[in-house]
Amino acid sequence: MKIAEIMTTDVETCPPTVTIQDIAAKMREINVGSIPICEEGRIVGIVTDRDIVLRGIAEELGADAPISEIFSETLITGTEGMLVEEAASLMARHQIRRLPIVRQEQVIGIVSLGDIAVRGKAQREAETALEKVSEPAKPRR
């Protein structure tokens, strides 16, 4: 099964100039834990709820600080043509729970471990990926 068959295609993105407060409110509003950061239509990073807590609040940045101060610039992305098993393996290797799907550096979807487990019918791959993601990770940036 290809990742295009299970990915979420209605993906909200934000520019790097948006504030930490605004992106946190957007996450609450649309009930997501991460938002890709795009500039001129091109993905430049991703911010997670964890980034907001560990890099924003814990570092005592103000809620009005731009998200560019805390988002992850190290991008791990997938493509719509990759197999679900490949995506799960990539996520496990890099210890990430969400994988932006891109075409020519533009976000066209996102897939989570939950998507893989529920819709991907790749239970074993999702379990393995979750085990790897849950291991202590090296700090990313």
Side-chain angles (χ1 to χ4, degrees), residues 86-103:
E86 294 172 309
S89 176
L90 183 65
M91 293 166 80
R93 188 168 50 252
H94 293 282
Q95 295 186 307
I96 56 175
R97 296 176 186 267
R98 301 162 191 100
L99 182 67
I101 306 302
V102 299
R103 182 187 309 135

Side-chain angles (χ1 to χ4, degrees), residues 10-121:
D10 185 21
V11 181
E12 291 278 341
T13 65
C14 287
T17 54
V18 73
T19 66
I20 293 172
Q21 173 65 44
D22 289 342
I23 210 159
K26 175 66 81 176
M27 285 179 173
R28 181 186 63 208
E29 175 189 328
I30 61 176
N31 194 29
V32 297
S34 70
I35 294 183
I37 305 301
C38 296
E39 194 165 39
E40 297 177 11
R42 190 175 67 79
I43 188 168
V44 295
I46 191 164
V47 68
T48 66
D49 45 11
R50 181 176 168 87
D51 293 331
I52 291 170
V53 171
L54 297 181
R55 295 183 186 155
I57 296 170
E59 295 295 324
E60 299 182 10
L61 291 179
D64 60 344
I67 205 66
S68 61
E69 292 192 30
I70 66 167
F71 74 81
S72 298
E73 295 174 35
T74 303
L75 277 172
I76 307 301
T77 61
T79 62
E80 61 197 311
M82 72 188 327
L83 297 175
V84 170
E85 294 80 9
E86 294 172 309
S89 176
L90 183 65
M91 293 166 80
R93 188 168 50 252
H94 293 282
Q95 295 186 307
I96 56 175
R97 296 176 186 267
R98 301 162 191 100
L99 182 67
I101 306 302
V102 299
R103 182 187 309 135
Q104 298 176 345
E105 297 185 40
Q106 293 192 353
V107 177
I108 60 165
I110 196 162
V111 68
S112 70
L113 284 179
D115 296 330
I116 291 172
V118 173
R119 297 193 304 241
K121 298 180 179 70

